Amino acid sequence: MANADMRRREVLVHGAAATAAGLASLGSALPAWAFPNRQGEEVVPWVDPPPPVAAPQVVPRQLDWERLDSWITPNDRFFVVAHYGIPEIDPATFRLRVDGLVERPLSLTLDQIRARPRREVAFTVECSGNHGIPWLTGAIGNARWAGTPLAPLLREAGLRRDGIEVVFYGADSGEEQIRDVKVRAPFARSMSVADATAANVLLCWEMNGAALPRENGFPLRLVAPGWYGVTNVKWLDRIEVRDTRFAGRFMARDYVTVREEEIGGRRLAVETLVGRTLLKSAPARVTRVGGRYRVVGAAWGRPVARVDVRIDDGPWVPATLDRAEEAEFGWKIWSLDWDNPAPGEHAVTSRAVDAAGRIQPTMDDPWITSKRTYWESNGQVTRRIRIA
Ligand SMILES: Nc1nc2c(c(=O)[nH]1)N[C@H]1C(S)=C(S)[C@@H](COP(=O)(O)O)O[C@H]1N2
Ligand SMILES: [Mo]
């Protein structure tokens, strides 16, 4: 079927750089299915689509789970979060400033940055609010990011010993009311010096073989594998080393997880910053070829050892993990065949299990229910489907 062939090609070719001529040769050199698609399958739509997006300016695009048919999320289907709008940056006049507590402040052009050693990392970016509110369920995507490691650049700038914090400022900014003052503040996030100089943290200019799209941070963004989306600052403008903790809106006011805990017989709120990703999975879609149904989904956030799937209140059944793509920070695609399901409506739930045997929490686990803000919502996801 032409359709299935198209899908197969999409799966095999990662990036816009592939030429039409390259398609055919790649197609024969790689395994036929780098994703559990089947020839002639059709997608059975979920009957519980999310409600309309309440803030389309902030979240102009989300992943359409029912269209998930490749390990890599194509750039034009990759979700976008932009709190202060999408700035337009002239690559010709662009300069990345590296300053603060460094011996030699830097001001780098794009060409100077792109001439540095190139590294790639496959990393599934998820907004920490994903599945935390009803209309935000597709704030996730998996891409192959390319750029240059940050650590050597900071070393060249000469990190001073009194620096403890690295702040990443975007070119986008907004008006913020803080108690009785109104200020203009850039989007910014920080990492400790130790976290920021981890080997896999990149200054990235390329996404899936193409120039970083404007919505996703052109010309330069931070890519911090293993950290929630918010840490991955787009439209990078300035990197500053400080000797104080940074407490901007997206660090310490917004994007704060508030959990009520039992402390000495009292329920008291504990506030923590959104940081590293948590173990999670979700069903993506159900396909069918005649009466042979298949549930396909993804699992990410921590090293995934296993994914179980449950239909209605049935037993947890281990899904098959797709082994075609293995990447430390990339999601794992899983599938479970479901032959001749009974007609009617069914609930499909998945749970990821990590290498230490820890299980993705249920939605009524105190870890989730004690939460008073919607960030870091890694509870099990249930989708509903109707079988004719
Ligand atoms: N400069 C800047 N960087 C940003 C944001 C932003 O609004 N401005 N949003 C963050 C959030 S909350 C998320 S979830 C990710 C989303 O990345 P994407 O738009 O490439 O999918 O970008 C992060 N980086
Ligand atoms: Mo986010």
Side-chain angles (χ1 to χ4, degrees):
M1 230 186 111
N3 227 349
D5 281 341
M6 282 304 293
R7 272 196 215 113
R8 193 181 326 191
R9 284 179 179 180
E10 244 184 70
V11 169
L12 291 170
V13 180
H14 303 132
T19 62
L23 279 168
S25 54
L26 264 176
S28 52
L30 291 171
W33 306 104
F35 193 90
N37 296 326
R38 293 173 296 173
Q39 194 128 6
E41 70 187 6
E42 58 183 79
V43 176
V44 186
W46 300 113
V47 295
D48 59 354
V53 176
Q57 329 83 278
V58 178
V59 187
R61 186 163 69 222
Q62 294 194 66
L63 179 74
D64 182 350
W65 283 106
E66 284 173 4
R67 291 179 69 196
L68 186 80
D69 59 2
S70 57
W71 185 70
I72 288 289
T73 310
N75 290 359
D76 62 357
R77 295 190 198 176
F78 205 95
F79 82 103
V80 175
V81 173
H83 286 278
Y84 294 142
I86 298 171
E88 176 138 29
I89 296 166
D90 180 355
T93 56
F94 172 87
R95 296 287 183 284
L96 174 72
R97 285 175 294 158
V98 181
D99 57 18
L101 300 177
V102 294
E103 303 295 348
R104 292 167 295 277
L106 304 171
S107 173
L108 301 168
T109 66
L110 263 185
D111 283 344
Q112 287 173 318
I113 295 167
R114 284 192 293 232
R116 299 182 61 85
R118 178 195 162 90
R119 273 270 296 275
E120 283 190 17
V121 64
F123 168 39
T124 301
V125 178
E126 185 189 26
C127 175
S128 52
N130 198 32
H131 292 107
I133 36 178
W135 55 266
L136 196 72
T137 59
I140 183 166
N142 184 50
R144 207 168 263 131
W145 308 93
T148 193
L150 172 66
L153 198 141
L154 286 177
R155 254 181 265 123
E156 283 166 40
L159 267 175
R160 277 177 35 184
R161 296 181 69 103
D162 48 345
I164 61 164
E165 188 101 328
V166 183
V167 191
F168 301 91
Y169 298 93
D172 50 332
S173 64
E175 290 254 305
E176 295 293 343
Q177 175 89 36
I178 304 162
R179 301 199 77 168
D180 57 353
V181 291
K182 213 182 212 135
V183 290
R184 174 155 292 271
F187 182 94
R189 280 281 298 191
S190 69
M191 298 177 90
S192 69
V193 166
D195 289 335
T197 53
N200 49 40
V201 173
L202 303 184
L203 299 179
C204 162
W205 58 80
E206 206 179 286
M207 180 179 181
N208 293 328
L212 199 57
R214 188 174 156 212
E215 304 90 311
N216 304 98
F218 178 86
L220 196 69
R221 83 178 295 173
L222 188 72
V223 165
W227 293 78
Y228 273 116
V230 69
T231 296
N232 297 259
V233 176
K234 304 191 284 186
W235 310 296
L236 210 52
D237 178 63
R238 178 184 175 212
I239 300 175
E240 185 203 19
V241 181
R242 303 186 62 100
D243 61 1
T244 51
R245 309 300 302 277
F246 175 76
R249 169 180 160 194
F250 299 96
M251 201 66 205
R253 296 201 300 286
D254 214 342
Y255 285 83
V256 169
T257 296
V258 180
R259 229 184 226 103
E260 282 187 340
E261 296 181 0
E262 211 52 51
I263 300 164
R266 288 195 299 167
R267 281 184 78 71
L268 295 171
V270 176
E271 296 161 68
T272 55
L273 310 189
V274 167
R276 288 191 169 82
T277 56
L278 300 177
L279 180 69
K280 191 165 166 185
S281 72
R285 65 180 190 169
V286 172
T287 61
R288 78 178 185 100
V289 179
R292 288 162 42 237
Y293 287 70
R294 176 176 285 179
V295 188
V296 177
W300 63 90
R302 293 282 159 100
V304 175
R306 196 180 84 225
V307 175
D308 301 325
V309 178
R310 178 154 86 151
I311 309 291
D312 302 321
D313 296 322
W316 287 105
V317 180
T320 302
L321 294 183
D322 194 84
R323 297 280 174 199
E325 301 278 3
E326 297 279 353
E328 187 180 355
F329 297 104
W331 61 17
K332 283 205 158 55
I333 300 298
W334 51 263
S335 64
L336 183 73
D337 287 342
W338 184 23
D339 286 338
N340 303 309
E345 209 173 294
H346 296 285
V348 180
T349 307
S350 70
R351 67 175 191 196
V353 182
D354 74 9
R358 280 180 293 255
I359 299 173
Q360 181 187 355
T362 59
M363 281 295 192
D364 56 14
D365 189 295
W367 173 256
I368 300 294
T369 57
S370 66
K371 228 152 45 69
R372 288 290 173 273
T373 50
Y374 58 80
W375 310 111
E376 301 184 281
S377 204
N378 72 320
Q380 293 169 17
V381 175
T382 297
R383 298 300 309 264
R384 303 196 67 83
I385 201 154
R386 192 173 297 118
I387 304 295

